[in-house]
Amino acid sequence: MMTIVWSLLKHNGKPITAYAVGTSLYLLMLAALYPSMMKTGLLEAKLQALPPEVLKAFQYDKITGFDNVLDLLGGNYYGLIFQIIASLFLLSLAARLLARPIDNGELILYLAAPITRHQYTASAMIVMFLASTCLVVCNTFVLLMADWFVSGVSIDGMTLVRFQVNALFLLYAIGGFTLCIATLFDDERRAFSIAGGVLVLSIVLTIGSGLSEKTEWMRYGSIFSLFNTQQLLEGTHHFFLHLLLLASISLLFHLGAFVSFRKRSLSI
């Protein structure tokens, strides 16, 4: 089975690397600019000039008193931007691993060899796990490098661990969902649009839940409510409960992918 995993990694290595390196460079840029932005007060002035609705959309709960670079990253990367990146990253990867091979008949070539459906599905899952882990590890490494070598950047280690572990479990859960949806349809575009529509709805619900107290209930319909950066920064986050929920969601959809792909018929 490791031969299949290696083959899938070779075919999908470039987009995985592009996302990991691209997001890491963005984090490095923000960390490098953080000391000068705090010294000049430019960031706080820009944020205060923005409409409250825009700040809520990007999940900026804090616009003054950035004591730590993670205060900045909580809204500037790990809020709306991370939700969009995570969705696009895992949607495109699930399409390349399952939806597209089913659509163009490439998967029949794999199954014509002594490879079972369970082996191929498990290999695709392993690649999804490795890709998600690669993204988070690269992001973490860059932030640690900034903490060590950029003057004026100070990152609390435990807060960083909470951020990255929570982000990793979120990616695992979304990856399980996108992979499960990819096994349901022969048409790649249909699988992509349905999974993408659900994730966009989750993002909209998360944004809507922060607009007022009357709409706060909307967050319960979004998976992204299980990655609350402000609560992570304040230490009031239900960290282990959210990890358990995300792990359960991931397990449920990965099992669903096995069952769905085993039962479906493939056109040659």
Side-chain angles (χ1 to χ4, degrees):
M1 191 171 70
M2 293 310 299
T3 303
I4 313 173
V5 173
W6 180 243
S7 175
L8 293 176
L9 280 174
K10 285 198 300 183
H11 282 89
N12 298 281
K14 288 183 179 179
I16 294 172
T17 303
Y19 273 97
V21 173
T23 55
S24 297
L25 289 176
Y26 178 69
L27 288 173
L28 181 61
M29 179 193 70
L30 290 177
L33 293 175
Y34 171 77
S36 61
M37 288 191 292
M38 293 302 100
K39 186 178 296 184
T40 60
L42 179 62
L43 176 63
E44 294 182 359
K46 289 290 186 182
L47 291 176
Q48 289 174 348
L50 291 173
E53 293 78 12
V54 174
L55 295 173
K56 289 177 180 177
F58 280 86
Q59 298 170 34
Y60 265 110
D61 296 301
K62 187 176 185 180
I63 61 173
T64 60
F66 291 94
D67 302 320
N68 190 293
V69 70
L70 291 178
D71 290 336
L72 170 65
L73 298 180
N76 211 305
Y77 176 71
Y78 287 106
L80 180 62
I81 294 175
F82 183 74
Q83 295 171 14
I84 294 173
I85 288 174
S87 299
L88 291 175
F89 175 53
L90 295 168
L91 278 169
S92 61
L93 189 56
R96 293 173 67 93
L97 289 172
L98 266 174
R100 186 175 303 170
I102 292 175
D103 191 6
N104 61 21
E106 178 186 343
L107 193 56
I108 299 298
L109 299 177
Y110 280 101
L111 298 180
I115 298 171
T116 67
R117 295 192 184 202
H118 282 331
Q119 287 177 327
Y120 187 88
T121 308
S123 300
M125 290 177 182
I126 291 173
V127 172
M128 292 286 278
F129 278 119
L130 291 175
S132 300
T133 305
C134 176
L135 179 68
V136 172
V137 168
C138 286
N139 289 177
T140 305
F141 178 74
V142 162
L143 290 175
L144 289 175
M145 293 293 291
D147 185 34
W148 293 334
F149 296 110
V150 179
S151 177
V153 172
S154 177
I155 297 178
D156 179 72
M158 287 306 299
T159 303
L160 178 60
V161 168
R162 288 198 300 268
F163 260 75
Q164 302 301 68
V165 172
N166 202 163
L168 183 59
F169 273 68
L170 177 66
L171 291 176
Y172 287 164
I174 297 175
F177 167 71
T178 55
L179 207 61
C180 182
I181 296 298
T183 64
L184 297 176
F185 303 100
D186 291 326
D187 188 351
E188 176 190 352
R189 290 174 296 179
R190 189 177 179 189
F192 191 94
S193 61
I194 290 176
V198 172
L199 292 173
V200 169
L201 177 60
S202 293
I203 295 174
V204 171
L205 289 173
T206 305
I207 295 172
S209 67
L211 296 179
S212 71
E213 293 183 358
K214 293 182 179 180
T215 60
E216 190 175 353
W217 60 269
M218 295 172 67
R219 69 187 179 91
Y220 295 110
S222 172
I223 191 174
F224 298 110
S225 65
L226 299 176
F227 182 55
N228 189 307
T229 56
Q230 188 60 31
Q231 291 180 0
L232 283 168
L233 289 169
E234 294 172 352
T236 59
H237 191 261
H238 301 293
F239 182 66
F240 292 105
L241 174 60
H242 286 187
L243 291 188
L244 179 61
L245 290 173
L246 288 170
S248 300
I249 293 170
S250 176
L251 178 61
L252 177 65
F253 279 112
H254 279 104
L255 289 175
F258 267 112
V259 174
S260 171
F261 193 50
R262 177 174 63 85
K263 290 185 176 181
R264 66 166 301 158
S265 59
L266 297 174
S267 57
I268 301 178

